[in-house]
């Protein structure tokens, strides 16, 4: 029950909106923050308060909240052709052009693109594509999907099954046949005395062992985020992808890169797989794809999967799958502009230019007694709160340290939601150096306040 007056925005939000991924005690206590607009990397609430959004919305508003070129592209497309589908041999001109562009900027020599409305749907679609291939290629038992603990692949029944987080047990998930390997987080998962190279070798050996135990011909695919995002910004241990990809290749298991966060610049290159120097068999894209200005996801198939899916579809004359708004012309027009803005209007350059300053800021925060580790790549980073630095012991759950940090940040005018006990920063790519300083100053003050209470 809210303590806010019945006609307040806070009470009205409570009355008829069912919250997802929201800490209900916090909302009951502090009220929902109801936002009206944004400017650059800032958002403004109904009371006129401004917040620097250190998470660029949900990782996706990389060009800020009022980018004039993106707004103009959306308006122009609404004026021209405000909606269409991509079924029955029809699609908009914008859809054709976006697929050409995605193929061109992909790491593949040839590519084909399938559109969805979200990252979850794109992962679901990829799994259905792999299952479709298994049937069509006479291997109907080839259905298991490998991912990692702490991975985040979305919330639909399949994407949630791929996600390696304990909260999905409340839904009776994962579904059968979704297998979660060890999270390649050296700081947390490395054993005493184990070098990073030995750790990576152990991850590869685990993959070999799981494939041997399950049977290579029962496994349809391996999905991985180049840097785990919602798991708490976890870059892989050194050499991880170089160690696992040959094993997958040897067993004919496709490697799918879930680049929903890392795609289009977050790690300082167009793709996270570029940053980590591997070429997957397909890429899942969403979030930055439209710079957050339209809900859209895409499966980008490399040549091998594209050819095999084409053959399997031709055999039954169609691929029986698609969403009403797949390839929406307004979304495609926005994505075309967003890709141009990120790649050609200096946003990736700014990510690269800001990365040293960003890393310095994270490293300074990690000097605190209650920060166990900082980690990151490009403009995605995290610091991990711990009760004890040497033993890496987390704070007791009952202290709600994550929520305290989030709320202390909000009080400072900074939006920055912790994930687990890690505090995640993933600002917009348009950030200036002074806004970067402001972000770290606010986070510093918030953390000092919280650690003074619970440390
Ligand atoms: C956000 C996210 C998804 C899910 O995307 P939605 O659009 O929320 O369905 C999938 N994979 C990764 C890596 C993500 O970060």
């Amino acid at each position: 029950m809210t303590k806010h007056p019945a006609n307040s925005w806070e009470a009205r939000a409570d009355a008829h909106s069912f919250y997802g991924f929201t800490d209900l005690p916090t909302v009951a206590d502090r009220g929902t923050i109801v936002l009206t607009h944004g400017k650059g990397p800032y958002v403004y609430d109904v009371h006129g308060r401004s917040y620097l959004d250190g998470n660029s919305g949900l990782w996706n508003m990389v060009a800020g909240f009022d980018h004039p070129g993106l707004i103009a592209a959306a308006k122009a497309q609404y004026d021209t052709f405000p909606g269409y589908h991509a079924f029955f041999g029809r699609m908009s001109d914008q859809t054709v052009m976006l697929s050409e562009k995605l193929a061109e900027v992909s790491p593949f020599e040839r590519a084909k693109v399938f559109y969805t409305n979200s990252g979850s749907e794109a992962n679901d679609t990829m799994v259905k594509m792999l299952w479709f291939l298994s049937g069509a290629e006479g291997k109907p038992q080839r259905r298991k999907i490998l991912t990692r603990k702490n991975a985040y692949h979305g919330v639909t029944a399949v994407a949630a099954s791929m996600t390696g987080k304990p909260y999905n047990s409340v839904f009776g998930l994962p579904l059968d046949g979704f297998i979660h390997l060890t999270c390649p987080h050296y700081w947390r998962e490395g054993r005493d005395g184990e070098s990073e190279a030995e750790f990576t070798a152990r991850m590869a050996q685990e993959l070999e062992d799981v494939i041997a135990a399950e049977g290579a011909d029962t496994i349809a695919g391996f999905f991985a985020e180049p840097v785990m995002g919602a798991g708490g910004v976890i870059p892989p241990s050194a050499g991880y992808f170089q160690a696992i990809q040959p094993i997958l290749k040897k067993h004919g298991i496709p490697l799918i890169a879930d680049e929903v966060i890392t795609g289009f610049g977050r790690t300082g290159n167009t793709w996270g797989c570029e940053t980590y120097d591997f070429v997957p068999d397909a890429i899942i894209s969403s979030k930055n794809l439209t710079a957050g200005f339209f809900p859209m996801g895409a499966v980008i198939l490399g040549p091998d999967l594209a050819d095999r899916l084409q053959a399997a579809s031709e055999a039954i004359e169609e691929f029986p799958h698609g969403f009403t708004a797949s390839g929406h012309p307004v979304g495609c027009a926005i994505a075309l502009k967003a890709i141009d803005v990120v790649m050609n209007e200096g946003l990736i350059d700014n990510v690269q230019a800001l990365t040293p300053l960003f890393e310095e800021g994270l490293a300074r925060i990690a000097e605190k007694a209650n920060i166990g580790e900082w980690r990151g790549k490009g403009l995605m980073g995290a610091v991990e709160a711990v009760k004890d630095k040497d033993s890496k012991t987390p704070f007791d759950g009952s202290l709600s340290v994550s929520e305290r940090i989030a709320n202390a940040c909000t009080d400072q005018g900074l939006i920055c939601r912790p994930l687990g006990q890690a505090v995640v920063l993933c600002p917009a790519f348009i950030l200036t150096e002074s806004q970067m300083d402001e972000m770290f100053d606010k986070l510093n003050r918030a953390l000092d306040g919280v650690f003074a209470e619970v440390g």
Side-chain angles (χ1 to χ4, degrees):
M1 274 310 286
T2 179
K3 59 186 188 191
H4 295 88
N7 62 352
S8 65
W9 282 104
E10 291 79 3
R12 289 167 59 194
D14 273 12
H16 298 293
S17 298
F18 191 72
Y19 299 108
F21 284 128
T22 292
D23 185 60
L24 297 179
T26 300
V27 162
D29 182 33
R30 300 171 62 96
T32 299
I33 299 174
V34 181
L35 300 164
T36 54
H37 66 288
K39 214 171 158 202
Y42 296 88
V43 287
Y44 297 81
D45 73 11
V46 286
H47 305 293
R49 281 188 294 253
S50 72
Y51 304 87
L52 176 58
D53 194 333
N55 290 358
S56 52
L58 280 177
W59 318 79
N60 56 346
M61 305 295 295
V62 297
F65 294 96
D66 61 348
H67 192 281
L70 288 166
I71 293 170
K75 283 182 175 167
Q77 187 56 35
Y78 273 119
D79 281 339
T80 312
F81 193 24
Y84 208 70
H85 60 80
F87 287 13
F88 315 134
R90 299 191 281 277
M91 66 176 62
S92 81
D93 55 353
Q94 301 299 315
T95 316
V96 174
M97 289 189 283
L98 179 59
S99 299
E100 283 171 349
K101 175 55 77 175
L102 287 172
E104 178 200 322
V105 303
S106 81
F108 306 123
E109 64 204 49
R110 274 187 300 121
K112 285 205 164 187
V113 185
F114 191 95
Y115 296 102
T116 68
N117 307 299
S118 68
S120 302
E121 291 172 351
N123 277 313
D124 253 65
T125 295
M126 187 72 242
V127 170
K128 282 182 74 178
M129 285 173 161
L130 294 170
W131 288 347
F132 175 54
L133 275 186
S134 299
E137 294 176 349
K139 302 208 162 158
Q141 79 287 359
R142 193 175 66 195
R143 291 181 68 82
K144 291 175 192 163
I145 300 293
L146 304 184
T147 63
R148 291 90 51 80
K149 294 193 181 83
N150 259 325
Y152 185 83
H153 297 292
V155 295
T156 52
V158 160
S161 294
M162 295 162 68
T163 291
K165 303 275 220 165
Y167 55 70
N168 280 315
S169 65
V170 302
F171 304 107
L173 295 172
L175 298 168
D176 284 348
F178 289 81
I179 298 166
H180 304 116
L181 305 177
T182 300
C183 175
H185 186 189
Y186 176 55
W187 177 75
R188 178 57 77 192
E189 299 291 338
R191 291 175 181 155
D192 282 347
E194 188 178 43
S195 72
E196 189 162 352
E198 287 164 349
F199 173 78
T200 297
R202 178 157 65 82
M203 296 300 99
Q205 189 57 49
E206 178 192 42
L207 177 61
E208 278 279 21
D209 294 346
V210 167
I211 293 171
E214 301 289 336
D217 61 353
T218 69
I219 299 170
F222 180 99
F223 287 69
E225 302 154 86
V227 180
M228 286 179 168
V233 182
I234 303 172
S237 58
Y240 176 80
F241 285 104
Q242 284 63 40
I244 63 158
Q245 191 167 32
I247 298 169
L248 296 169
K249 276 214 169 101
K250 181 175 72 184
H251 294 290
I253 299 169
L255 168 59
I256 317 299
D258 183 344
E259 298 246 16
V260 169
I261 285 174
T262 50
F264 297 108
R266 180 58 75 183
T267 66
N269 293 297
T270 304
W271 303 106
C273 60
E274 213 178 320
T275 299
Y276 287 96
D277 198 23
F278 69 99
V279 179
D281 295 289
I283 284 177
I284 306 299
S285 181
S286 188
K287 293 200 168 99
N288 312 5
L289 174 59
T290 55
F293 276 57
F294 200 87
M296 176 177 271
V299 175
I300 307 171
L301 299 163
D304 178 58
L305 285 175
D307 290 348
R308 288 162 63 194
L309 279 160
Q310 185 70 29
S313 302
E314 281 171 9
I316 60 164
E317 299 191 346
E318 72 168 347
F319 175 55
H321 177 83
F323 300 92
T324 300
S326 291
H328 193 288
V330 176
C332 290
I334 292 172
L336 278 163
K337 181 66 187 174
I339 293 168
D340 191 43
V341 166
V342 167
M343 296 184 70
N344 305 322
E345 289 184 18
L347 264 63
I348 287 193
D349 298 339
N350 202 42
V351 171
Q352 289 173 359
L354 284 178
T355 294
L357 201 64
F358 185 59
E359 292 181 344
E360 251 172 62
L362 292 167
R364 253 198 325 275
I365 286 186
E367 288 167 11
K368 294 182 198 300
N370 290 110
I371 296 293
E373 179 195 51
W374 79 267
R375 49 184 187 258
K377 202 78 190 173
L379 276 194
M380 60 194 294
V383 288
E384 178 110 11
V386 285
K387 182 161 182 277
D388 183 80
K389 200 164 181 140
D390 292 332
S391 65
K392 307 177 186 176
T393 312
F395 283 102
D396 196 87
S398 65
L399 289 171
S400 302
V401 166
S402 310
E403 290 308 327
R404 284 178 199 241
I405 293 172
N407 295 339
C409 286
T410 309
D411 290 341
Q412 294 288 336
L414 172 68
I415 291 178
C416 137
R417 200 185 72 85
L419 287 163
Q421 295 193 353
V423 185
V424 168
L425 292 174
C426 48
F429 300 171
I430 52 157
L431 217 67
T432 63
E433 291 195 4
S434 75
Q435 288 164 345
M436 176 83 77
D437 289 343
E438 179 189 337
M439 181 174 78
F440 280 114
D441 286 348
K442 288 178 166 175
L443 178 58
N444 252 309
R445 278 200 294 274
L447 288 173
D448 287 344
V450 171
F451 293 149
E453 280 169 33
V454 302

